[in-house]
Amino acid sequence: MAKFPSDEWVSEYCNRLNNNPDYADAGKTWEGDILFVVQPDENYSKTEYIYIDLYHGKCRSAKYVHEGEEVPKAEFRYVGKYGNWIRLLNKEIDPIQGILTGKFKLEGSMMKIMRYTKAAKEMVNTAAQVKTEF
Amino acid sequence: MLPLWYFRTPRIIFGEDSLSFLDDHSSSKILVVTDNFLSNTPILKEVLSHLSGKDIKVFSEISPEPRLSEILKGRELASRLDPDTIIGLGGGSSMDAAKILFALHEMPDLSPFDISPINSIKLHQKSELIEIPTTSGTGSECSWAAVFSDDTEERKNEIASPEIMADYAILDPKLVLDLPKGITVNTATDAITHAIEAYTSQWRNPYSDAMAEKALDLILNNLPTVLVNPKDINARNSVHIGASMAGISFSNSQIGLAHALGHALGAIFKTPHGESVGLYLPHVTEFNYEAAKDRYDKINSFFPDEYRTDKVWETIRSYLNAIGQVTNVSEAGIERSKYEKELGKIVSLASESTGVITNARDASTKDIENIARSIL
């Protein structure tokens, strides 16, 4: 069980992405990094970040960024409150529907991301496979 | 528990003489967006007769696959007229073009590519959008999606925003009474596909379900009558309303793989849209069946008895055959060798469609390729 978010969770997530043929297929032409932003809510007091560098269906590197550390720049930022991250990882929220209903915010080129919605979905499916404790 | 979601629809005017709604509409400067064919038919005259005394410009340069260059040309006309009302009159192409033109008129600095469900673009500030379908199928009058083609690239761009949804949709059955058989079949096939894909979508919800069920009931039971007796206004009206309900349904729960592949096919071979999605629908249904068995069994029950078999995909095939829809690439006028040559591109374009993520069953690139091959 890896706590979300943590170094252990991020490492396990990156490994699972690299061993997931469905993600490899959906993201085979994707080039770009993403920053997951975990925002505080009534049950979580910190803002934390997960940086993931994705390239041609593989996770080249991933890093958990603690509050107070320098936040890496990324082409895309996927931003949501801690409670919504729990619901996303439990597959109670669809990653795209989550954006459309304001549960998550996406910052970055819409034109690019809209051609990779399948990859985004596979990323969440993969995250849901990580044995996680909240 | 259902996730948070919305149900959106324009205000709908339907039934006999519904065009008379325009008589009292408080507009003074109107841009009518249509195609060249319709501009020379009594349909345009009929619509304009309800707008007498108003400042009207007709932009009739929308092609069957609306292109960005045409839309930008329309924007120039709109900037000169500064309309308080934009009317999209025609099939899906004209209505989709009207939606994009409406957005560009409201926000002149906007790029069509910036129209997305995530960006708040604050439309409906200085004008209203009215959509008037002259075919029964696209559902564009009730949806918040639009499709346009690049001039430089073989790609159909699917854009969506709740803000490009029409203020009003006028469903006057007399506008479809003279619809030729081929277009009737193609557009109805599109509507049937909308309803089936909406009903099985991973984003389906009770509201979209209700619309899809009624749409299938109205279309499947009345279309055969329309094809035998095209002037049967009651049957025409039922198909017309059913098509708009199918539009509301998919607009609120999204499309699936038949549309993802159909858009790709249309972008490359210029196949009519309804024909494109109808080609793939039985094969997509067979692929999806186990993932939404109860849903598909329910869909099977909506088909009239004479077409129904134990397998819903065979039922669909039987119905589409009966109404005269093509079932393979050769019948669609596409050379097999050319289709095979473009297969990779079709699969690639389809994989980029949002229809892939809402399809009833998750599909890999290989799955999409297998379905694409099945129409050879």
Side-chain angles (χ1 to χ4, degrees):
Chain A
M1 282 285 203
K3 191 165 173 48
F4 178 86
S6 66
D7 290 312
E8 187 191 2
W9 191 93
V10 172
S11 172
E12 176 64 15
Y13 178 48
C14 190
N15 285 339
R16 282 187 180 263
L17 279 174
N18 285 335
N19 288 294
N20 183 344
D22 292 335
Y23 174 70
D25 177 35
K28 63 181 178 287
T29 56
W30 173 271
E31 297 175 3
D33 47 6
I34 300 176
L35 194 69
F36 292 162
V37 183
V38 184
Q39 294 181 314
D41 62 13
E42 60 275 14
N43 298 313
Y44 202 75
S45 60
K46 296 177 285 188
T47 300
E48 292 179 306
Y49 306 87
I50 294 169
Y51 171 83
I52 306 162
D53 179 16
L54 299 162
Y55 187 83
H56 292 198
K58 292 291 175 194
C59 170
R60 288 199 298 198
S61 68
K63 185 182 169 190
Y64 167 51
V65 181
H66 301 258
E67 191 168 55
E69 290 181 350
E70 190 181 345
V71 180
K73 287 196 163 38
E75 189 179 357
F76 291 93
R77 287 164 59 103
Y78 190 66
V79 184
K81 289 181 178 171
Y82 177 75
N84 287 330
W85 278 101
I86 293 175
R87 295 178 66 211
L88 184 84
L89 297 176
N90 287 334
K91 296 184 84 172
E92 292 162 13
I93 295 181
D94 176 282
I96 312 298
Q97 260 186 318
I99 299 169
L100 302 182
T101 52
K103 300 290 181 192
F104 286 89
K105 285 194 181 72
L106 179 76
E107 297 161 13
S109 164
M110 277 308 302
M111 203 174 141
K112 179 173 175 179
I113 202 81
M114 287 311 285
R115 291 180 184 177
Y116 287 92
T117 51
K118 190 164 180 280
K121 194 170 178 177
E122 287 302 337
M123 284 178 71
V124 172
N125 287 345
T126 308
Q129 291 165 14
V130 178
K131 289 187 171 56
T132 305
E133 62 175 304
F134 297 103
Chain B
M1 186 68 176
L2 277 171
L4 171 68
W5 197 228
Y6 311 103
F7 180 71
R8 296 181 172 103
T9 175
R11 284 161 284 184
I12 299 170
I13 301 96
F14 61 95
E16 188 182 3
D17 200 29
S18 42
L19 273 179
S20 62
F21 168 81
L22 293 172
D23 297 341
D24 303 318
H25 185 255
S26 59
S27 52
S28 58
K29 286 192 284 185
I30 301 164
L31 177 66
V32 179
V33 181
T34 189
D35 59 54
N36 190 45
F37 171 77
L38 267 181
S39 68
N40 296 305
T41 67
I43 286 178
L44 179 62
K45 290 186 184 75
E46 171 76 26
V47 170
L48 295 182
S49 73
H50 291 275
L51 300 168
S52 56
K54 296 174 180 180
D55 187 357
I56 302 163
K57 288 275 182 296
V58 177
F59 180 67
S60 60
E61 295 183 37
I62 302 300
S63 58
E65 302 289 344
R67 305 195 80 79
L68 186 55
S69 56
E70 296 161 1
I71 292 161
L72 295 178
K73 199 171 172 185
R75 177 168 64 176
E76 286 173 34
L77 184 60
S79 69
R80 289 199 297 275
L81 176 69
D82 192 24
D84 53 37
T85 303
I86 292 178
I87 295 177
L89 174 70
S93 305
S94 294
M95 290 191 288
D96 282 4
K99 285 178 197 171
I100 302 166
L101 250 172
F102 166 73
L104 301 185
H105 165 57
E106 290 270 321
M107 300 284 285
D109 295 333
L110 195 72
S111 157
F113 296 102
D114 293 330
I115 299 169
S116 93
I118 298 169
N119 299 343
S120 174
I121 42 181
K122 296 192 170 48
L123 306 182
H124 302 266
Q125 301 296 312
K126 59 181 182 182
S127 58
E128 285 192 317
L129 176 63
I130 299 174
E131 297 280 33
I132 308 174
T134 60
T135 63
S136 304
T138 73
S140 175
E141 71 277 4
C142 291
S143 85
W144 45 282
V147 176
F148 70 95
S149 300
D150 281 351
D151 291 76
T152 52
E153 203 182 352
E154 279 179 331
R155 173 187 295 280
K156 283 196 176 190
N157 296 285
E158 301 165 8
I159 58 164
S161 166
E163 298 187 62
I164 62 170
M165 181 175 264
D167 294 284
Y168 301 97
I170 302 177
L171 306 173
D172 197 317
K174 70 171 170 260
L175 298 186
V176 292
L177 272 181
D178 294 320
L179 205 59
K181 185 177 180 181
I183 298 175
T184 300
V185 168
N186 269 327
T187 50
T189 301
D190 187 24
I192 291 164
T193 309
H194 286 154
I196 290 173
E197 297 212 298
Y199 198 64
T200 54
S201 159
Q202 292 189 34
W203 291 8
R204 61 189 179 247
N205 57 76
Y207 289 95
S208 62
D209 284 354
M211 286 287 159
E213 287 187 12
K214 191 63 187 175
L216 287 170
D217 174 37
L218 288 170
I219 299 165
L220 296 174
N221 289 299
N222 287 284
L223 182 61
T225 306
V226 165
L227 295 177
V228 172
N229 185 5
K231 297 285 188 187
D232 184 329
I233 196 157
N234 290 320
R236 281 280 190 192
N237 196 38
S238 293
V239 173
H240 205 43
I241 288 171
S244 78
M245 286 180 156
I248 295 168
S249 182
F250 92 81
S251 186
N252 284 284
S253 70
Q254 305 309 305
I255 49 173
L257 256 180
H259 266 85
L261 282 158
H263 283 163
L265 185 76
I268 295 167
F269 290 102
K270 313 300 175 225
T271 323
H273 177 65
E275 197 171 284
S276 297
V277 298
L279 274 167
Y280 294 111
L281 181 64
H283 304 284
V284 169
T285 302
E286 185 173 7
F287 170 78
N288 285 349
Y289 180 71
E290 288 300 330
K293 195 170 176 297
D294 294 350
R295 295 248 146 196
Y296 281 114
D297 288 343
K298 187 81 185 280
I299 287 166
N300 205 13
S301 74
F302 287 114
F303 281 83
D305 293 349
E306 59 266 44
Y307 307 104
R308 199 177 314 122
T309 70
D310 291 342
K311 296 186 173 90
V312 62
W313 57 92
E314 294 294 354
T315 300
I316 293 169
R317 192 171 285 128
S318 159
Y319 188 88
L320 294 181
N321 272 333
I323 64 171
Q325 185 56 266
V326 300
T327 57
N328 60 53
V329 290
S330 303
E331 287 176 10
I334 301 167
E335 279 180 42
R336 284 172 59 100
S337 59
K338 283 187 179 165
Y339 181 80
E340 285 190 271
K341 193 177 158 199
E342 297 288 3
L343 203 63
K345 187 161 190 193
I346 289 168
V347 172
S348 169
L349 285 174
S351 299
E352 292 176 1
S353 164
T354 50
V356 171
I357 64 157
T358 46
N359 187 59
R361 178 180 165 191
D362 288 340
S364 68
T365 304
K366 190 69 196 160
D367 293 328
I368 296 169
E369 185 185 332
N370 289 340
I371 295 166
R373 280 190 184 283
S374 63
I375 67 162
L376 273 165

